[in-house]
Amino acid sequence: AQRVTQPEKLLSVFKGAPVELKCNYSYSGSPELFWYVQYSRQRLQLLLRHISRESIKGFTADLNKGETSFHLKKPFAQEEDSAMYYCALGHTGFQKLVFGTGTRLLVSP
Amino acid sequence: DVKVTQSSRYLVKRTGEKVFLECVQDMDHENMFWYRQDPGLGLRLIYFSYDVKMKEKGDIPEGYSVSREKKERFSLILESASTNQTSMYLCASTMNTGELFFGEGSRLTVL
């Protein structure tokens, strides 16, 4: 069965500190991993996907198949990064995604 | 820009009432989804549809049904609302790219 685990409900850091939001997955096939973000009073939107291997808003995420992880990282957090972050798992072919329980990131000045 | 529009942002219903949540997308997407979003539980898939008149159960379909008569419209139906269906409901669509486009959500309160 597909499963996504985000162990932290809340992550609180100060501005300028490094951030790592953890995501572990369980899937026997070839996974596609995504990070979605929901800013206050905005709709949920795609932040980045592992297949594109790009940095968005300073965030990066590397798929580690050995550890079945897809942690989201940013070296220097900004206040505008405060949001709810969801890790999501899909598989090739059909894009039904399984979401984690989410981590709320709070960046304080 | 892709637009996914949910007709009702806030609804208050009584236990036992029938509830319709409507979702329309304007980008000719094949796939549409209904999720519910609850604190601590994340997003859970209720139903999805990959074509007109086609539907499949998600992880928590009990108490819900859906309708997709036209490609752009996907409706979620609560036949007899119950208090445990109080939640935020999110509609999404995609064209098999892995990027889901979400609506703003419909917050349903069942009294």
Side-chain angles (χ1 to χ4, degrees):
Chain A
Q2 298 177 53
R3 179 176 290 178
V4 176
T5 303
Q6 293 180 251
E8 304 136 330
K9 287 187 176 180
L10 172 66
L11 186 61
S12 185
V13 302
F14 288 105
K15 177 183 174 181
V19 168
E20 182 179 68
L21 287 79
K22 291 184 167 46
C23 172
N24 288 92
Y25 66 91
S26 173
Y27 182 56
S28 57
S30 182
E32 292 191 28
L33 275 298
F34 307 84
W35 278 99
Y36 279 78
V37 61
Q38 189 169 29
Y39 301 103
S40 179
R41 289 184 292 276
Q42 294 188 27
R43 62 185 73 197
L44 194 61
Q45 59 187 291
L46 178 66
L47 178 63
L48 55 79
R49 68 187 82 185
H50 89 271
I51 201 168
S52 61
R53 302 182 67 83
E54 57 189 348
S55 173
I56 304 292
K57 298 185 179 183
F59 284 98
T60 59
D62 292 317
L63 178 61
N64 185 324
K65 290 187 177 182
E67 295 183 359
T68 60
S69 68
F70 188 57
H71 303 326
L72 184 67
K73 300 177 184 179
K74 185 169 183 177
F76 307 104
Q78 303 300 312
E79 289 179 68
E80 55 266 30
D81 296 327
S82 295
M84 193 73 178
Y85 292 81
Y86 291 96
C87 183
L89 166 68
H91 57 84
T92 53
F94 187 70
Q95 298 305 328
K96 185 179 73 166
L97 298 184
V98 174
F99 285 82
T101 51
T103 298
R104 180 167 297 282
L105 174 63
L106 181 61
V107 182
S108 303
Chain B
D1 274 354
V2 175
K3 195 70 179 296
V4 178
T5 303
Q6 294 182 229
S7 56
S8 304
R9 293 292 308 277
Y10 301 95
L11 303 95
V12 179
K13 298 291 182 180
R14 297 205 174 276
T15 301
E17 280 192 83
K18 191 169 186 175
V19 182
F20 292 89
L21 299 180
E22 302 269 310
C23 175
V24 177
Q25 49 96 1
D26 65 359
M27 283 301 290
D28 203 36
H29 283 172
E30 302 281 337
N31 309 304
M32 297 188 73
F33 308 82
W34 275 105
Y35 287 89
R36 63 177 282 177
Q37 182 182 32
D38 299 287
L41 297 177
L43 273 73
R44 293 178 292 166
L45 182 63
I46 304 171
Y47 267 96
F48 62 99
S49 169
Y50 50 89
D51 201 351
V52 175
K53 295 191 187 296
M54 305 300 288
K55 60 186 179 184
E56 285 201 23
K57 294 180 179 179
D59 299 316
I60 51 164
E62 297 77 21
Y64 303 95
S65 62
V66 290
S67 171
R68 191 153 181 214
E69 296 296 319
K70 293 185 177 181
K71 192 174 186 180
E72 67 272 17
R73 187 180 298 270
F74 191 36
S75 302
L76 180 69
I77 303 152
L78 288 67
E79 293 289 342
S80 178
S82 63
T83 54
N84 62 13
Q85 293 178 309
T86 291
S87 186
M88 172 68 85
Y89 290 88
L90 298 181
C91 175
S93 70
T94 186
M95 195 61 157
N96 284 334
T97 63
E99 180 173 6
L100 294 186
F101 293 88
F102 284 88
E104 292 182 294
S106 298
R107 185 169 293 282
L108 172 66
T109 301
V110 183
L111 302 176

